[in-house]
Amino acid sequence: MTQLRFLTDLPLAWPLLAVAGATAAAWWLAHRETRDLSPPRNWLLPSLRAAAVGLIVAMLLEPSLHHRQFVGEPSRLRVWLDGSASMQETDTVDAGPAVSRYQRSVDLLAGGDIPRLEIWAGQGEVEVRRFTGDDTAMLWQSLPTQDLPPLPAAEAWTPEGWSRWTSLTPPLEAVDRGDVAAAEESVAASESMLHEPLLLFTDGRHNQGDSPLDLLNRWPQERAPVWIVGMGSSAPPPRMTITQITTPEELFRSDRLEGILELRDNRPAGEAWQLSVRLDGAGADIRPLWTRRLVSDGQGARDISFGFPLEPVVKSLMARGPQGGLADETVDTLAVPLVFEVQPASGEQATFPGWQQRRLVGVTTRRQRVLLLDSRSRWETRYLRNALERDPRWDVDAFLMKPRQSPEWFAQQNAPRPFPETPESWLDYDLVITGEIEANAQGVASLRFLREAVERGGTGWIVIDGQRDTWRRSEFASLREMFPVQRQPTASVQLPGGGDWKPVVVERASGLGALQLGDGSPASNRSTWDRLPGLVNIVPVRLLPGAESLVDLQRAAARLPLLTTRLYGGGRVVHLASDETWRWRYEVADEIHQRLWNQLARFAMRLPFAVRNDYAALDSGPVTVTTGTAVPVRALLRDSSGLPTDASLVRAVASRDGRIVSSVALVTDPTLPGLFRGQWDSLPPGTYTIRLEATGFPPAALALETRVEVVTVPTAEELDVTRDEAMLRQIAEQTGGLYVPEERVEEMWDKIALESTGRVVENETEVWQSGWWLALATGLLGVEWWFRKKAGLI
């Protein structure tokens, strides 16, 4: 490498600026005498003098060419810093100013009066890299043929994001591959590297990918020893922390919230601690909803069960009214903010990370309303009513519509209510289930409102067809138009052999949640359906265009639709071509029958939303999701008459701490009028408020909000932050290197050295003493004098 140097110690720019200034001044002074001459003399004479003056000034600054060359084969030290999350640990219990493992590593390299990196830079080539997960970054590099570069500023050392897992393979793979890319960057790329040691600063918590020991089978020990400084403590930090909270995904306001707190107990055995759960937010009661006293055992992970009733919590939140942004008539799913804490029983305040966790728990506040109608108290109707009434999420109104009689109250758990006789009363139901209704029963005229409830209100409708053929009557002609099937002329078909005709889930519907009767696996679900008894009577139907069959009855090559569905307006219609699902009450009481009907009812019912008003409804999925999980958003828009409507631009906006973080456009769902869908593929950890914006709607009409909390599930990197001495010691021994913990790092400084067979050769060429320099300057002055004489200036 060759550098231009001057007598002064100032940066190169200053002497060059002095030469340029003297040259410009000489040209300007000379031009005042020649500006009246004709070209080219008016500019040539000043230029010759300026060039001569510039050379003379440059010569007075004693310019020289500094040559620096490495002769031989250089050694190369590669330093790697672990940038994983565990390197943020300070290995202290108390809060306050503390130095992380990573910063201590940087201080060992770049700290002190004479940084260790500068010492090594005088012995060979040195480079410092950081590995974060699978990513690596060059932080600093010194080449023996170049001047020592300045060390990076403090912020340049720190990674932008800490990896949530550690892999020790990137620095080791660099040597295993020969590190071709790095060698090409080196000045000595054409030379073979004699000595290439690695120096790792890490806590050794390898928890991702294959073991780094697998790379050491073909390790070049003679030229690439691995020296390791183990950072951190080999003992876990003495903390009592909450690592994970597990709660049910679906809860109703009358349920008990029961879950599991996963603790990391590394405190000394015998200490008394207290766990508690309380309501979070402004105005919340500070008294705990649940508390438990426990004694630490120092054994690490332990699970603690907790539980408390939700009804008082829901009432407390609803009582906040506008202050909490809640309105009882609009909130169907309430995001309950809870704080989970573990504190010393002595009353002292815990200060270490993880002593407190906040969570949102989704609670359904309104039971889904179901209207069950039939003309006789048969097994199918009774078992169906019982199945729905056992589930606290359903609010069942049941009536028997007997011939020439007023509707008779048939529900068991509720006090008798009036039969719905107005369009508004039918719109209150999320689901209507009808068996065979006699056309001459009193109240049949009110069934005409069912069509409007399904089409405009999104109410679901399940039709249980049967052997009496009542749905063929002319009084029900307008309702039959909503069916997904067309009934065949034969009223009912009795299938010979009964049990030989088996229900079969249609292939394209096999993944439908409403039809899952097994333990969650496809094989278990198929096995459960195969064990169901066959049906005896079925109404023959033909599938209409746009409809879908979910379950068929099959015998040999013959198949008949059993369970069919279609979307109609804003709701869904489901047709069951038999009234004998009561035959599926077998084995464990009526577990299968109840499960199927609860799932089928939820499939057919009005699309649920977390919050709603007269103009819009909004839902953002589960109130708590993990990092990297999509956050789906659904919105339903209605006009002033309550009918689904459209908008040219609809978007969902996510805010955190009162500031907009992100927005996503919602697109029209082609399957349902007025419905819009979109999603965030991922949101950073935090608690978000989701709201709607749509063209043509005033803000007051869209005054709806939901809440979503994005939480980070602890990884192995965060749960175990101890130094893995066994792993690090084995790597060092198998590569011919050395392992020392950070508290004994001086032992490594005494032994580490860069071996090299070459040396740096430096010499100076003093350009200013060259005769050619003086000859050129005097020659320019002579030429300028001759032209001046020709111009008559002398």
Side-chain angles (χ1 to χ4, degrees), residues 455-510:
E455 185 175 18
R456 183 165 66 92
T459 300
W461 181 27
I462 299 179
V463 186
I464 305 175
D465 223 335
Q467 307 169 43
R468 298 198 172 197
D469 203 23
T470 59
W471 286 105
R472 196 182 298 275
R473 304 289 179 86
S474 59
E475 289 84 350
F476 303 127
S478 63
L479 294 179
R480 283 200 306 271
E481 295 176 359
M482 304 165 61
F483 282 12
V485 293
Q486 184 178 39
R487 304 172 88 254
Q488 299 299 312
T490 306
S492 176
V493 175
Q494 188 174 26
L495 306 179
D500 294 334
W501 287 80
K502 292 289 186 178
V504 178
V505 178
V506 177
E507 181 65 28
R508 61 179 174 272
S510 59

Side-chain angles (χ1 to χ4, degrees), residues 252 332 364 366-372 388 392-399 409 414-420 424-433 458-461 601-602 604-606 612:
F252 187 66
D332 289 349
T364 301
R366 185 183 70 90
R367 293 199 290 176
Q368 309 298 327
R369 295 200 64 195
V370 182
L371 176 62
L372 175 61
L388 296 177
R393 293 170 294 185
W394 297 109
D395 185 6
V396 182
D397 287 357
F399 293 90
W409 181 255
N414 296 322
R417 296 172 180 164
F419 183 78
E424 292 75 19
S425 60
W426 282 83
L427 286 171
D428 285 341
Y429 291 105
D430 299 286
L431 176 65
V432 176
I433 303 176
T459 300
W461 181 27
R602 291 197 171 277
M605 62 175 262
R606 178 166 29 215
R612 55 190 170 84

Side-chain angles (χ1 to χ4, degrees), residues 531-683:
R531 295 198 311 270
L532 292 179
L535 303 183
V536 176
N537 293 286
I538 184 172
V539 176
V541 295
R542 179 175 60 85
L543 201 66
L544 292 177
E548 180 183 7
S549 179
L550 305 179
V551 180
D552 291 344
L553 283 179
Q554 182 175 8
R555 185 177 67 181
R559 287 181 80 123
L560 293 173
L562 173 64
L563 185 65
T564 55
T565 183
R566 71 180 289 194
L567 293 174
Y568 189 87
R572 178 179 294 276
V573 179
V574 175
H575 183 271
L576 184 63
S578 178
D579 56 2
E580 296 182 347
T581 63
W582 57 267
R583 296 181 182 274
W584 295 345
R585 296 181 71 255
Y586 78 113
E587 292 186 347
V588 186
D590 62 347
E591 177 181 342
I592 299 297
H593 180 266
Q594 180 167 335
R595 180 174 180 178
L596 174 64
W597 270 105
N598 270 281
Q599 294 175 170
L600 189 59
R602 291 197 171 277
F603 169 72
M605 62 175 262
R606 178 166 29 215
L607 196 62
F609 288 87
V611 290
R612 55 190 170 84
N613 60 21
D614 293 338
Y615 295 95
L618 175 64
D619 190 89
S620 54
V623 297
T624 299
V625 298
T626 57
T627 306
T629 303
V631 178
V633 181
R634 295 183 291 112
L636 184 64
L637 300 180
R638 298 187 180 94
D639 58 21
S640 57
S641 63
L643 291 174
T645 188
D646 202 352
S648 59
L649 177 62
V650 181
R651 66 173 184 162
V653 179
S655 302
R656 185 173 60 189
D657 300 327
R659 296 183 178 181
I660 296 178
V661 175
S662 179
S663 64
V664 61
L666 306 185
V667 298
T668 303
D669 188 327
T671 64
L672 199 60
L675 182 64
F676 299 82
R677 293 181 184 270
Q679 72 174 32
W680 282 279
D681 293 332
S682 64
L683 286 172

